[in-house]
Amino acid sequence: MKPISFALLGYGRVAPTHLDALLALVPEATLAAVCDTDPGALEQARQDLDARHVPPVTPHASLDALLADPAVDVVSVCTPSGLHPEHGIAAAKAGKHVLVEKPMGVTLPAAEALVRACADNGVHLFPVYQNRLNTTLQLLKAAIEKGRFGKIYAINSTVIWRREQSYYDSAAWRGTRAMDGGAFMNQGIHFLDAMRFIGGEITDVQSTFATLGRTIECEDTGSALFRFKSGALGNLFVTMLGMNDREGSLTVIGEKGQVKIGGTAMNTIEEWTFAAPDPEQDALARDADYHTASVYGNGHKAFYRQVLDTLRAGTPPAAAGPELDSLKILLRMYDKDLTKQG
Ligand SMILES: NC(=O)c1ccc[n+]([C@@H]2O[C@H](COP(=O)([O-])OP(=O)(O)OC[C@H]3O[C@@H](n4cnc5c(N)ncnc54)[C@H](O)[C@@H]3O)[C@@H](O)[C@H]2O)c1
């Protein structure tokens, strides 16, 4: 069977994670091309491929050249966040499937336009929220679906990571409202998405944001309080001012159970307490931890596997519902900033 062929659009910090996820799927998938407007990034891609003993792939210096490349089936959009809609829409119009890094965009109209363009052109849209596929979160979701918590009272997520000023200074787009957003839009969105995955729809939202320790346009720290439709309370705290990447956790407090998924990127089970045992799930929980060398976690591999399986199955594209909803709630949090309300 002909392999499905991908191209990486934007070869910066996250791109090597995509590269490794893709290479794990060879020969079912191949990397056909890399596109970046920065020649240094194309050279880095060449070196990374060489280091992995992979023959060079076509380097494209412009999006137009990439989209004219008939060898490419799927474009993985790894450019700055504010460019995702424009780049994804161009790829969709060229008949390529679109895999897009989070967030899908930094404004709702632009992200909605991307969803529409993919639907109108009959191509799949795969927004990357790789943490949903973590073994830890999958197990927690299964425990919820089995009703093991009884009533869920509250869900808390805490993200204490460190991003130096040099990280923000490393590219002009970082920390800007038009291209990036702050700690919530860039890093926190993963945890908000996980909270929605676990707790369901979010209704009332209140929040507060501040730029306390970095020189950037957007927030480096923020806190949001909300209610789930189920009645449970939610609480998300995100800061990029930790002394290190200390914690990226999610805790569920229920009537008959309490679970904390911790580590730096929701990769370990720190507590798994239930009033009633479930031998099969409890045994899986003892083995669900995994090591991750970066706060991106290990989910990109599972994510690419899912993309490949979907494309192979030939199922028609589904609308990107949950992923758009996470962006909607996040933008509502920015709107409901208490400090804006005086
Ligand atoms: N899922 C995750 O865990 C995760 C982790 C890191 C980053 N991300 C997301 O990935 C995206 C990229 O982040 P990054 O840290 O790799 O950024 P980066 O700045 O390191 O890389 C972006 C690359 O895009 C290139 N580029 C910019 N405009 C271009 C254009 N018009 N055409 C072609 N190339 C262009 C730049 O030259 C650069 O090499 C962001 O949206 C970020 O939020 C996701």
Side-chain angles (χ1 to χ4, degrees):
M1 200 184 270
K2 188 176 161 285
I4 292 176
S5 109
F6 289 75
L8 297 178
L9 172 59
Y11 198 87
R13 256 170 89 102
V14 79
T17 307
H18 287 249
L19 178 64
D20 287 330
L22 253 169
L23 294 179
L25 295 175
V26 172
E28 290 173 85
T30 55
L31 177 66
V34 175
C35 172
D36 204 297
T37 44
D38 174 3
L42 288 178
E43 171 55 19
Q44 185 62 54
R46 194 196 61 74
Q47 288 178 18
D48 287 355
L49 287 166
D50 195 42
R52 290 161 176 79
H53 310 292
V54 177
V57 300
T58 312
H60 291 295
S62 76
L63 179 57
D64 287 346
L66 171 70
L67 297 180
D69 186 338
V72 174
D73 302 317
V74 186
V75 175
S76 296
V77 181
C78 301
T79 47
S81 305
L83 297 175
H84 292 175
E86 177 190 329
H87 289 167
I89 290 169
K93 285 185 174 164
K96 317 284 188 195
H97 299 294
V98 179
L99 187 158
V100 63
E101 261 298 352
K102 53 53 50 179
M104 290 162 68
V106 295
T107 70
L108 197 55
E112 283 174 339
L114 171 59
V115 172
R116 256 195 325 275
C118 290
D120 290 350
N121 290 282
V123 297
H124 282 271
L125 174 61
F126 301 108
V128 181
Y129 283 104
Q130 77 274 13
N131 289 309
R132 282 180 176 231
L133 301 171
N134 291 2
T135 44
T136 47
L137 281 182
Q138 289 282 329
L139 201 57
L140 172 57
K141 176 88 171 166
I144 288 175
E145 281 170 355
K146 266 193 158 179
R148 294 189 69 194
F149 284 90
K151 184 174 173 172
I152 292 180
Y153 297 134
I155 304 182
N156 168 274
S157 179
T158 301
V159 187
I160 303 173
W161 287 353
R162 184 172 184 87
R163 292 293 175 276
E164 304 283 354
Q165 185 63 38
S166 56
Y167 160 84
Y168 293 107
D169 293 344
S170 69
W173 67 278
R174 294 196 193 280
T176 63
R177 201 160 305 286
M179 284 291 145
D180 189 9
F184 261 58
M185 180 68 89
N186 188 317
Q187 290 86 8
I189 197 164
H190 280 300
F191 294 84
L192 176 63
D193 188 69
M195 292 179 92
R196 291 190 54 261
F197 178 56
I198 294 303
E201 199 181 323
I202 289 171
T203 53
D204 312 312
V205 172
Q206 196 57 270
S207 54
T208 185
F209 299 100
T211 313
L212 299 169
R214 299 290 178 264
T215 307
I216 49 173
E217 185 185 0
C218 293
E219 81 287 356
D220 53 33
T221 302
S223 188
L225 293 172
F226 43 90
R227 238 174 238 284
F228 289 91
K229 199 174 172 187
S230 68
L233 294 188
N235 177 13
L236 171 62
F237 172 76
V238 185
T239 185
M240 292 302 119
L241 302 179
M243 292 301 290
N244 46 35
D245 287 341
R246 198 214 166 285
E247 176 171 353
S249 71
L250 185 144
T251 305
V252 180
I253 300 149
E255 191 186 0
K256 294 185 270 180
Q258 181 165 296
V259 168
K260 179 169 182 180
I261 309 290
T264 52
M266 298 183 287
N267 55 301
T268 65
I269 296 189
E270 291 183 11
E271 182 177 7
W272 185 264
T273 304
F274 286 101
D278 177 320
E280 197 185 332
Q281 263 192 359
D282 298 345
L284 287 172
R286 281 191 287 278
D287 283 338
D289 290 10
Y290 61 90
H291 172 74
T292 169
S294 97
V295 291
Y296 305 166
N298 290 355
H300 280 85
K301 284 200 171 101
F303 183 78
Y304 267 87
R305 175 79 259 167
Q306 206 177 53
V307 166
L308 196 68
D309 289 345
T310 304
L311 292 174
R312 282 244 177 280
T315 42
E323 297 86 355
L324 202 54
D325 287 350
S326 291
L327 181 64
K328 275 185 198 161
I329 295 288
L330 196 129
L331 290 167
R332 190 126 60 86
M333 287 172 176
Y334 279 141
D335 275 353
K336 293 281 186 173
D337 184 354
L338 283 171
T339 43
K340 275 193 200 161
Q341 293 160 28

